[in-house]
Amino acid sequence: MKLALSPDEVAFRDELRRFYRTEIPAEIRDKVEYGRELTRDEIVTSHKILHEHGLAVPNWPAQWGGKDWTPVQRHIWEDEMQLASVPEPLTFNANMIGPVIAQFGSQELKERFLPPTAALDIWWCQGFSEPDAGSDLASLRTTAVRDGDSYIVNGQKIWTTLAQYADWIFCLVRTDPNAPKKQAGISLLLFDVNTPGVTIRPIKLIDGHHEVNEVFFENVRVPADQLVGEENMGWTYAKFLLGNERTGITGVGRTKVRLAVAKKYAAQTNVGGGTLLADPLFAARVAELENELLALELTLLRVVANSSEGKPNPASSVLKLRGTELQQAATELLLDVAGPDALPVGADDIASPDWAQRTGPGYLNYRKTTIYGGSSEVQRTIIASTILGL
């Protein structure tokens, strides 16, 4: 594999680097870099700036806003965005439902949904997991029964990220309860979350934030022309979507930024006669994590370069598995740098600095990364069966 960038790729990288650091508001990038929560308006603002410059959905087909880029250029686009602490285009739109509609949707669905999806004029949320169908997603029980020109949807979804901000939901539903395999008989529907019968309730997470929700459907009438692709083919579309999601979860650049923040504060933390960053054991721990990140980045480049259009690459499970483990390792490193100062949370009248108070909730929040998008156990099963042939 070629490891050095060509002169044209260097110029491409430098232009993106300049754009990200001058066009995206500094206050938004600062919040991302130091782990502060973004508002809905800040997410939309950043996404729309990227979209206006053709940088929101470069992985889509060119006719729907994509770019005819090489795999290396796509990697540079994402990596430099993460390194600049720019909020990435809303993943539900850019990496999940958008590519699915572009690949499997009818021409009518593409024309209706792809332009507003790319522009974030529609904010999508993901209706996949259920209380009894998380890692075993194929066991989902939310039903959609055909009634003339509509489907009637009943059931429940859970862990629906940012549904409180969403306009529409892409939802896996069971349309054939008598299918011989549980993976069969599943379809993918699109509908407005303000449709009568849809109820969204917040779930407060262990870090104290409201990021996910439970969503209930009670006789929700969905027009049949909002079915993606063919009825009972939803599992195929879900695998395609999850392959994109798992590759995007890798987050090499994000982990690099988190590691840089940990090193910055470690250099300001005195231990013994020097700083924590100069401590041999801590330095060795940092070096090991940096080496692991480099290995992951090279693997990511190989996967991106060898992916076939329309087909999920099972190696995305390797990226998801290792990427999320390293994200957790970086948050644990930052927590250890903060030490006892991480224990108080949200207090203004104590000596514990604000950055240290955020490390505890950040560490707790990142426990989720090895669960969503398919748990680590599920990824190991996919690796064992699909890649290793066991």
Side-chain angles (χ1 to χ4, degrees), residues 248-306:
I249 288 172
T250 309
V252 171
R254 291 192 299 269
T255 305
K256 286 180 180 178
V257 169
R258 202 157 282 111
L259 180 57
V261 171
K263 291 168 68 175
K264 171 186 174 180
Y265 288 122
Q268 300 171 6
T269 302
N270 294 320
V271 291
T275 67
L276 180 59
L277 187 59
D279 177 79
L281 290 177
F282 184 85
R285 185 176 168 191
V286 170
E288 181 179 4
L289 183 51
E290 289 175 331
N291 286 334
E292 292 282 357
L293 271 174
L294 177 59
L296 180 65
E297 184 172 19
L298 296 177
T299 304
L300 174 60
L301 281 168
R302 284 174 34 223
V303 171
V304 170
N306 294 309

Side-chain angles (χ1 to χ4, degrees), residues 75-350:
H75 171 73
I76 292 170
W77 162 79
E78 182 176 48
D79 195 49
E80 289 297 327
M81 186 186 310
Q82 293 178 0
L83 291 171
S85 298
V86 171
E88 293 166 65
L90 187 68
T91 191
F92 314 111
N93 290 39
N95 299 329
M96 295 185 183
I97 194 58
V100 168
I101 294 174
Q103 182 71 25
F104 303 106
S106 65
Q107 185 64 23
E108 181 183 358
L109 276 187
K110 293 174 184 178
E111 293 175 357
R112 178 180 177 187
F113 287 110
L114 288 180
T117 296
L120 195 48
D121 292 331
I122 294 176
W123 183 304
W124 290 93
C125 63
Q126 179 184 15
F128 276 30
S129 293
E130 299 183 4
D132 296 316
S135 296
D136 184 17
L137 183 58
S139 296
L140 66 89
R141 295 188 294 183
T142 295
T143 60
V145 178
R146 187 67 181 260
D147 180 31
D149 293 333
S150 301
Y151 287 96
I152 306 300
V153 178
N154 284 278
Q156 178 186 358
K157 298 294 179 178
I158 200 167
W159 313 124
T160 309
T161 304
L162 301 184
Q164 71 270 28
Y165 296 156
D167 304 303
W168 281 65
I169 185 170
F170 51 95
C171 194
L172 283 181
V173 294
R174 190 164 297 283
T175 42
D176 182 3
N178 299 315
K181 294 177 59 178
K182 62 182 181 180
Q183 289 85 356
I186 293 173
S187 300
L188 182 61
L189 286 178
L190 315 175
F191 54 97
D192 192 321
V193 297
N194 292 312
T195 304
V198 179
T199 302
I200 298 173
R201 296 179 185 169
I203 298 174
K204 189 173 182 179
L205 295 179
I206 193 172
D207 66 353
H209 293 146
H210 168 206
E211 184 181 13
V212 297
N213 305 267
E214 52 184 350
V215 185
F216 299 89
F217 311 116
E218 184 176 357
N219 295 323
V220 179
R221 185 170 289 273
V222 179
D225 62 4
Q226 290 167 197
L227 172 76
V228 176
E230 301 177 31
E231 188 173 271
N232 300 326
M233 288 293 292
W235 190 248
T236 297
Y237 312 149
K239 288 192 296 182
F240 176 83
L241 182 151
L242 289 170
N244 289 333
E245 181 187 14
R246 287 164 186 164
T247 302
I249 288 172
T250 309
V252 171
R254 291 192 299 269
T255 305
K256 286 180 180 178
V257 169
R258 202 157 282 111
L259 180 57
V261 171
K263 291 168 68 175
K264 171 186 174 180
Y265 288 122
Q268 300 171 6
T269 302
N270 294 320
V271 291
T275 67
L276 180 59
L277 187 59
D279 177 79
L281 290 177
F282 184 85
R285 185 176 168 191
V286 170
E288 181 179 4
L289 183 51
E290 289 175 331
N291 286 334
E292 292 282 357
L293 271 174
L294 177 59
L296 180 65
E297 184 172 19
L298 296 177
T299 304
L300 174 60
L301 281 168
R302 284 174 34 223
V303 171
V304 170
N306 294 309
S307 293
S308 299
E309 185 177 354
K311 296 180 181 179
N313 190 326
S316 64
S317 290
V318 177
L319 299 175
K320 198 278 177 182
L321 175 66
R322 195 63 186 135
T324 53
E325 290 174 346
L326 294 181
Q327 289 174 43
Q328 290 181 343
T331 61
E332 185 174 351
L333 186 73
L334 192 53
L335 181 73
D336 289 346
V337 173
D341 281 338
L343 292 176
V345 175
D348 298 323
D349 56 348
I350 59 173

